Amino acid sequence: MISSIEKEIVSLLQTSDKKAINLLYDYYADALFGVIKKIISDEDTAQDVLQETFVKIWRYSKKYDANKAKLFTWLYRIAYNTAIDKVRSQKNKSGKEVQIETSSVYKLTSNALNEDVLDIKKHLNRLDEKYKIVIKALFFEGMTQQEASEELDIPLGTIKSRLKIGLRELKKIYNP
């Protein structure tokens, strides 16, 4: 049975009323922090993940459907997934340290540069806008596909498709 406070929170979320976040924090922050702490032991990182969780809850508040899940179940999934994403991103960052001794960056000669691709930004402007914004986000702004999906508010599958098509179109420009 749904409590009256839960009904009130759901109602406030559906209308994007900021009181919802205060109520959510008051009633669920401790439980969600407990979920996060089971995955992330570092206190500061867990606090950051809790903050990110509440940002996501607010961002996706209109998507909550009481017929699909209880409010706490929905909140739990967001907190759990945010914590898992944080752990994965930390593992990815620590596994990609640059080894300067084995790097060939400093050994490039002017002959090694392909002059045809130095004008890539100019050729990028020849693409449709939908492909151009995805390629710029991924290659020039350094976003992951997931980050681009969230930032541009485009489904992840669409990001992947537009990237593939955009790169194919660029290839046609360079290899007619």
Side-chain angles (χ1 to χ4, degrees), residues 7-22:
K7 284 181 185 177
E8 182 181 355
I9 291 171
V10 170
S11 172
L12 293 170
L13 280 174
Q14 297 298 322
T15 60
S16 298
D17 190 323
K18 292 182 180 176
K19 292 178 200 167
I21 284 294
N22 291 333

Side-chain angles (χ1 to χ4, degrees), residues 23-37:
L23 288 172
L24 280 169
Y25 196 85
D26 290 345
Y27 286 91
Y28 296 102
D30 291 340
L32 295 177
F33 189 69
V35 169
I36 294 165
K37 281 291 285 176

Side-chain angles (χ1 to χ4, degrees), residues 54-75:
F54 276 97
V55 169
K56 286 181 180 181
I57 289 167
W58 183 251
R59 185 181 306 150
Y60 302 124
S61 62
K62 293 208 184 248
K63 293 182 179 183
Y64 172 68
D65 184 353
N67 296 320
K68 291 183 180 176
K70 291 183 179 184
L71 181 62
F72 182 74
T73 304
W74 183 71
L75 298 171

Side-chain angles (χ1 to χ4, degrees), residues 5-174:
I5 192 69
E6 192 172 323
K7 284 181 185 177
E8 182 181 355
I9 291 171
V10 170
S11 172
L12 293 170
L13 280 174
Q14 297 298 322
T15 60
S16 298
D17 190 323
K18 292 182 180 176
K19 292 178 200 167
I21 284 294
N22 291 333
L23 288 172
L24 280 169
Y25 196 85
D26 290 345
Y27 286 91
Y28 296 102
D30 291 340
L32 295 177
F33 189 69
V35 169
I36 294 165
K37 281 291 285 176
K38 287 184 178 180
I39 299 165
I40 299 173
S41 58
D42 179 64
E43 188 83 18
D44 291 337
T45 305
Q47 287 288 348
D48 289 346
V49 170
L50 182 64
Q51 182 77 25
E52 288 175 40
T53 297
F54 276 97
V55 169
K56 286 181 180 181
I57 289 167
W58 183 251
R59 185 181 306 150
Y60 302 124
S61 62
K62 293 208 184 248
K63 293 182 179 183
Y64 172 68
D65 184 353
N67 296 320
K68 291 183 180 176
K70 291 183 179 184
L71 181 62
F72 182 74
T73 304
W74 183 71
L75 298 171
Y76 173 91
R77 284 187 197 140
I78 293 173
Y80 180 83
N81 289 338
T82 304
I84 294 295
D85 288 347
K86 178 61 86 176
V87 169
R88 286 181 183 150
S89 75
Q90 287 175 337
K91 283 183 182 175
N92 285 341
K93 285 179 185 171
S94 67
K96 294 181 181 177
E97 292 181 23
V98 176
Q99 301 298 321
I100 293 179
E101 301 84 40
T102 60
S103 174
S104 61
V105 172
Y106 301 108
K107 299 173 190 165
L108 283 178
T109 63
S110 61
N111 297 341
L113 296 174
N114 184 346
E115 293 174 13
D116 292 335
V117 297
L118 291 177
D119 59 353
I120 192 146
K121 287 188 178 181
K122 178 181 81 175
H123 290 305
L124 194 60
N125 288 327
R126 293 169 56 185
L127 297 180
D128 286 348
E129 187 66 24
K130 61 186 177 184
Y131 305 124
K132 187 168 50 173
I133 62 169
V134 169
I135 291 173
K136 279 185 176 181
L138 297 174
F139 292 100
F140 297 110
E141 295 175 24
M143 293 182 192
T144 64
Q145 291 179 350
Q146 182 66 43
E147 290 168 339
S149 171
E150 291 171 6
E151 183 72 25
L152 300 172
D153 198 27
I154 299 172
L156 183 59
T158 305
I159 291 285
K160 292 178 180 190
S161 298
R162 288 181 183 175
L163 172 63
K164 184 177 179 181
I165 294 167
L167 291 176
R168 188 175 356 154
E169 293 303 309
L170 277 176
K171 186 176 180 183
K172 287 179 188 175
I173 292 169
Y174 284 106

